[in-house]
Amino acid sequence: MATQASISLAQTGAVQFLTDPFQRALAHWNHERLSPCFPDADWQKRLDRDTRMLRLEGAFIEELRAEVANEAAAAPTDVEGFIAWFEALQESGPGQGDPLFPWIEQEATFDQLRWFMGQEAAGEAGFDDLVAMTQVKMPALPKLELARNYWDEMGRGNLKGMHGPMLQVLIETMKIEAEIDSTVWESLALANAMTAMASTRRYAWHSVGALGVIELTAPGRSAATAAGLRRLGFSERERRYFSLHAVLDVKHSEDWNREALRPLVSEDPRRTTAIAEGALIRLKAGARCFERYRQELWNGSAAAD
């Protein structure tokens, strides 16, 4: 039903993409279209619907690109200059140093952290799947790095080491029911943007930048969240997902920048702008989430839910 509403908006030309109705509709569509299913007699109608939604999704990403275009265009196009610019995003990028995470580490109550985790879980696009979609037809060296990253996400073939189930342990412990309709639109928009970039080949270089900047910036946030969980008495097993990413993503980022970004930029300097746009899109989406989370958590409304 939400998808039909978004299609109607598109037909009237009244779409505003950073809005609750559109992001909720897009999230429901992404969940449906990416889930394994069976053929049915309505496949042509579904294809027509998907075509309309793909146009909307494309317009959404173009809106996000326009938001960061000037900043991304200023990124250096030589290899050393670009890597230095990219790595500086860890300190100077949108959303970095947000006061939300020291607060989570030092002050958040169980109920507040539970609400935060519910938002993060429902808006999680699945790093493993995003990497898998992004690596399609990539040049050999970057493809190998994405493959190594994916293998780590998969626990190197060990179910107990898979990152997704690690997070699920915490979600089940906290009795979180992660649902699209109870998630703020900013979190949905982040997941929707990541899904769009990874699943659409014209944004493949953008996805490389967005995924790389996650690896670059996640360790500090993960460490703060793990510390908050420890303070509230969660076991090592329950906080393992965040403890692991606080350490592992440091190496992942170094490897990503060396084995994926460097060869891609060396081969074609034009890719720097797309990679930069993807990184900035992801950081700005995260910054919007952090601001909304603070509003909900610090004014007490989230704890009351």
Side-chain angles (χ1 to χ4, degrees):
M1 290 185 291
T3 299
Q4 291 300 321
S6 70
I7 292 171
S8 297
L9 284 173
Q11 292 167 345
T12 64
V15 170
Q16 295 180 356
F17 299 108
L18 291 176
T19 64
D20 188 296
F22 177 76
Q23 295 302 327
R24 215 164 292 285
L26 194 59
H28 279 292
W29 174 67
N30 276 325
H31 178 77
E32 180 181 341
R33 71 163 172 139
L34 295 176
S35 297
C37 59
F38 296 99
D40 61 44
D42 291 333
W43 69 269
Q44 290 176 312
K45 291 182 180 179
R46 290 179 181 273
L47 184 59
D48 290 340
R49 188 253 349 238
D50 289 347
T51 299
R52 292 191 290 269
M53 290 303 294
L54 284 168
R55 289 182 181 275
L56 286 168
E57 181 187 62
F60 162 52
I61 294 298
E62 289 304 309
E63 182 174 275
L64 297 183
R65 286 186 64 211
E67 185 181 25
V68 303
N70 290 339
E71 188 174 354
T77 57
D78 65 287
V79 175
E80 297 303 327
F82 181 73
I83 295 299
W85 177 90
F86 191 88
E87 292 179 343
L89 292 174
Q90 185 175 14
E91 300 296 331
S92 62
Q96 301 314 293
D98 193 285
L100 174 68
F101 292 94
W103 177 83
I104 285 175
E105 179 177 355
Q106 300 166 14
E107 299 184 43
T109 65
F110 174 88
D111 287 339
Q112 290 168 330
L113 193 56
R114 182 176 184 272
W115 183 89
F116 166 77
M117 288 302 309
Q119 299 300 308
E120 291 285 278
E124 172 62 45
F127 196 90
D128 51 352
D129 290 337
L130 295 174
V131 171
M133 289 188 283
T134 301
Q135 62 80 37
V136 174
K137 299 295 183 182
M138 280 282 160
L141 289 178
K143 190 180 185 79
L144 281 171
E145 177 52 35
L146 270 64
R148 285 188 287 266
N149 195 294
Y150 177 79
W151 191 232
D152 278 350
E153 290 286 326
M154 291 291 99
R156 296 180 172 269
N158 185 333
L159 178 61
K160 292 183 179 180
M162 289 178 65
H163 294 188
M166 283 184 199
L167 180 59
Q168 190 61 33
V169 167
L170 180 61
I171 290 170
E172 291 175 358
T173 298
M174 300 185 84
K175 295 182 170 57
I176 293 170
E177 295 181 6
E179 298 178 351
I180 290 172
D181 290 331
S182 60
T183 305
V184 297
W185 71 261
E186 291 87 347
S187 182
L188 299 178
L190 188 156
N192 288 336
M194 294 299 299
T195 300
M197 289 186 284
S199 63
T200 308
R201 300 319 291 161
R202 68 180 178 275
Y203 300 122
W205 311 126
H206 290 76
S207 187
V208 170
L211 292 168
V213 88
I214 291 175
E215 302 284 32
L216 179 71
T217 61
R221 296 192 299 272
S222 296
T225 304
L229 289 167
R230 187 186 305 109
R231 174 176 55 82
L232 291 170
F234 286 87
S235 69
E236 181 179 350
R237 177 173 177 267
E238 291 163 343
R239 62 178 189 266
R240 186 181 176 199
Y241 175 86
F242 290 99
S243 300
L244 179 66
H245 282 272
V247 177
L248 185 62
D249 283 354
V250 175
K251 183 178 186 304
H252 277 173
S253 179
E254 293 172 352
D255 293 345
W256 193 283
N257 294 353
R258 183 182 64 254
E259 303 294 337
L261 297 189
R262 281 183 177 277
L264 287 174
V265 172
S266 296
E267 186 177 85
D268 187 347
R270 294 177 303 171
R271 294 170 183 162
T272 57
T273 301
I275 293 170
E277 285 182 354
L280 291 169
I281 285 171
R282 171 58 181 82
L283 290 177
K284 284 186 177 291
R288 275 189 284 267
C289 287
F290 306 154
E291 181 178 1
R292 178 65 184 275
Y293 294 168
R294 281 188 277 104
Q295 290 174 359
E296 298 291 331
L297 288 164
W298 293 1
N299 68 17
S301 60
D305 289 343

